[in-house]
Amino acid sequence: MESIMSDKEKTTEQQLAEPRLCGITLTSGEDILCIMAHDAQGAEYHVSNPALVLMKESETEEGKFQIVFSPYVPVAHGGQCKVQKSQVVTLYRPDDDLAEQYREIYRHPGFEKLLVAEETKAKDQAKKELKEQGIDAEVTFEG
């Protein structure tokens, strides 16, 4: 089966150029969650407010573990650093619950702007799809 890409679809490079919440597994074996964007030359990733993802034994349930966050490079100016592409094993979209935990703990100036941009983009897409069906309506999200 042959896959045909639309001119409207963004390439992986274009998607990575936009800041987004991302999980990164490093060659050291560490996992971090952060707001990540790829640099124009493609050699490194720009990360903001990186949080090391750790497993901790539950204090209330024996034999159970919970995920906790610890600041990664906490002394970095503005909570920002760069990660060399060669140090990355995997990039992934974090689980929704984990992403929500991260959002509750780690706030930085660009994050609120990113959330507003994502919501605006989703609203515009929904409005466009409704309009294509002949429905002219205002789109709002709750929750």
Side-chain angles (χ1 to χ4, degrees), residues 41-120:
Q41 289 76 35
E44 58 194 13
Y45 298 102
H46 297 268
V47 299
S48 296
N49 281 13
L52 188 60
V53 180
L54 303 168
M55 297 287 289
K56 178 184 171 192
E57 193 168 346
S58 174
E59 295 173 3
T60 57
E61 298 180 62
E62 191 173 323
K64 299 270 183 169
F65 290 84
Q66 61 188 38
I67 294 176
V68 295
F69 299 112
S70 177
Y72 186 75
V73 291
V75 296
H77 178 71
Q80 298 187 7
C81 64
K82 296 178 183 179
V83 174
Q84 296 300 310
K85 195 173 184 179
S86 62
Q87 297 301 308
V88 174
V89 175
T90 307
L91 298 175
Y92 58 92
R93 178 180 170 221
D95 172 79
D96 291 340
D97 291 337
L98 197 61
E100 186 58 36
Q101 289 176 35
Y102 173 87
R103 287 183 183 110
E104 288 174 9
I105 297 169
Y106 292 90
R107 295 281 187 196
H108 61 84
F111 193 67
E112 294 299 326
K113 188 175 176 182
L114 175 64
L115 290 177
V116 170
E118 285 179 353
E119 184 174 324
T120 300

Side-chain angles (χ1 to χ4, degrees), residues 6-71:
S6 162
D7 289 340
K8 295 178 183 178
E9 291 180 33
K10 292 184 178 181
T11 65
T12 301
E13 291 78 17
Q14 289 170 324
Q15 291 175 5
L16 288 174
E18 297 175 5
R20 66 185 66 244
L21 179 59
C22 184
I24 302 175
T25 302
L26 302 170
T27 56
S28 63
E30 298 167 306
D31 272 288
I32 60 173
L33 289 186
C34 61
I35 301 298
M36 186 273 300
H38 200 267
D39 78 327
Q41 289 76 35
E44 58 194 13
Y45 298 102
H46 297 268
V47 299
S48 296
N49 281 13
L52 188 60
V53 180
L54 303 168
M55 297 287 289
K56 178 184 171 192
E57 193 168 346
S58 174
E59 295 173 3
T60 57
E61 298 180 62
E62 191 173 323
K64 299 270 183 169
F65 290 84
Q66 61 188 38
I67 294 176
V68 295
F69 299 112
S70 177

